[in-house]
Amino acid sequence: MRLEMKAKFPEMKYIVSVLNRMVLQGNVVKVGIEATAKETYLCICLQRCRKYSFVHVVRTLESIDSETKTEISQIPDDSILLFDTDDDGTYVDITVYKTFRELPLFHLVGIPDVAIPELDRSDVSNLALNCQFVLRKEFYELGDLVKIFNSMLSKGFYACMKLRESKHLEISFFHNTNATRSILNIGFGLWIPYKNSKEFIQWDPNTYEQEILEYHRVMLTERTPVVGKFYYVPSGPSLEFRAIARKAE
């Protein structure tokens, strides 16, 4: 089935490629339709393990007929879903399969990285912000998702960070700082040292919360333009965010 989007979203071709790869690895993905008085949304929800480990995509639909809406609502829970779109992200195709044996061969899209020389150097200095979040366990697709994050940031999207239960990081992407509905959410567990361990004795339980507060302080209140970029560090593994204040031209 094909669903037409209300607005183009070029990053969608990269997102569905990552989602398809995660589906092949056995992750459960669901789709649904939500509506307000003015708009209708496509919701793609992939759960990696528990409720705080997920990838959620929400996009506004141009329109949807009642037949397609019913068809989506009746997709069996044990179905395997694969997604496709065009280069501009003007639509999303959803194909339903009963078993992994039915899945076709498909191309995994290479995701380009956004180059920011001032931040990409290993000896970078004069940072306005440098925060780091150590992951509880491996998240192999995060490297590609980070490239998608940076592509969105380069186009003016805003990333909001939240901490759930002191150990789950949730990142939500909005069209801008004034937007009220996120279009991409991702959540995953953060590393916390075991109680009674040597690391736990020296551990500050507010570490991640302080990092998030500093992130929002810099990104929302810095007087000069701030340019930021996410980095995935496989050793750890960890997610890092760097930002630098550029002088206004």
Side-chain angles (χ1 to χ4, degrees):
M1 66 195 81
R2 174 164 294 186
L3 302 174
E4 301 290 340
M5 302 294 105
K6 188 173 183 179
K8 294 180 180 180
F9 185 33
E11 281 72 28
M12 196 68 185
K13 63 178 177 289
Y14 303 132
I15 293 174
V16 298
S17 182
V18 174
L19 290 177
N20 288 340
R21 189 189 317 166
M22 296 177 75
V23 168
L24 288 178
Q25 295 171 1
N27 292 282
V28 177
V29 63
K30 305 290 184 183
V31 296
I33 303 297
E34 297 182 3
T36 64
K38 296 182 178 180
E39 295 182 305
T40 304
Y41 309 103
L42 168 67
C43 303
I44 303 173
C45 306
L46 184 144
Q47 297 295 142
R48 294 181 59 238
C49 48
R50 299 179 181 179
K51 62 181 180 179
Y52 285 114
S53 188
F54 57 81
V55 179
H56 290 179
V57 186
V58 181
R59 292 299 295 166
T60 306
L61 296 174
E62 179 64 38
S63 63
I64 184 171
D65 57 75
S66 58
E67 183 179 349
T68 303
K69 197 171 182 179
T70 300
E71 187 178 355
I72 290 176
S73 68
Q74 294 178 347
I75 295 176
D77 291 339
D78 59 351
S79 298
I80 301 166
L81 308 182
L82 290 184
F83 306 91
D84 196 12
T85 186
D86 61 350
D87 286 343
D88 292 326
T90 59
Y91 64 83
V92 172
D93 282 344
I94 304 173
T95 307
V96 183
Y97 300 91
K98 293 182 179 179
T99 68
F100 282 98
R101 293 180 181 177
E102 298 178 358
L103 299 185
L105 295 175
F106 58 87
H107 176 63
L108 295 175
V109 177
I111 305 175
D113 193 13
V114 175
I116 305 181
E118 304 98 312
L119 296 175
D120 294 340
R121 300 193 309 270
S122 59
D123 62 342
V124 64
S125 59
N126 300 322
L127 289 175
L129 177 67
N130 188 9
C131 51
Q132 188 174 48
F133 303 91
V134 183
L135 279 60
R136 184 172 65 88
K137 61 180 183 179
E138 294 285 353
F139 186 175
Y140 298 106
E141 290 75 24
L142 187 56
D144 281 339
L145 287 169
V146 159
K147 294 178 182 178
I148 298 171
F149 299 168
N150 292 329
S151 176
M152 295 171 67
L153 291 179
S154 70
K155 297 176 181 178
F157 288 82
Y158 176 71
C160 175
M161 296 189 192
K162 292 182 181 179
L163 195 63
R164 306 288 190 184
E165 297 182 357
S166 301
K167 56 183 178 181
H168 301 279
L169 179 64
E170 181 176 335
I171 308 175
S172 302
F173 290 85
F174 298 83
H175 284 287
N176 52 58
T177 56
N178 296 320
T180 58
R181 179 179 58 81
S182 61
I183 62 173
L184 174 63
N185 285 16
I186 181 170
F188 46 85
L190 297 175
W191 175 81
I192 302 291
Y194 291 108
K195 290 184 178 181
N196 301 322
S197 65
K198 293 181 179 179
E199 293 86 355
F200 186 80
I201 295 174
Q202 301 176 344
W203 173 257
D204 181 354
N206 297 316
T207 296
Y208 294 135
E209 186 68 43
Q210 292 170 352
E211 295 276 48
I212 291 174
L213 289 174
E214 181 65 9
Y215 167 84
H216 286 291
R217 184 195 69 80
V218 171
M219 300 304 290
L220 291 175
T221 63
E222 190 73 32
R223 293 182 179 180
T224 56
V226 175
V227 177
K229 182 176 179 179
F230 286 96
Y231 294 85
Y232 173 63
V233 184
S235 58
S238 63
L239 178 70
E240 183 179 356
F241 184 84
R242 302 177 186 174
I244 190 169
R246 285 179 174 169
K247 296 181 179 180
E249 296 181 359

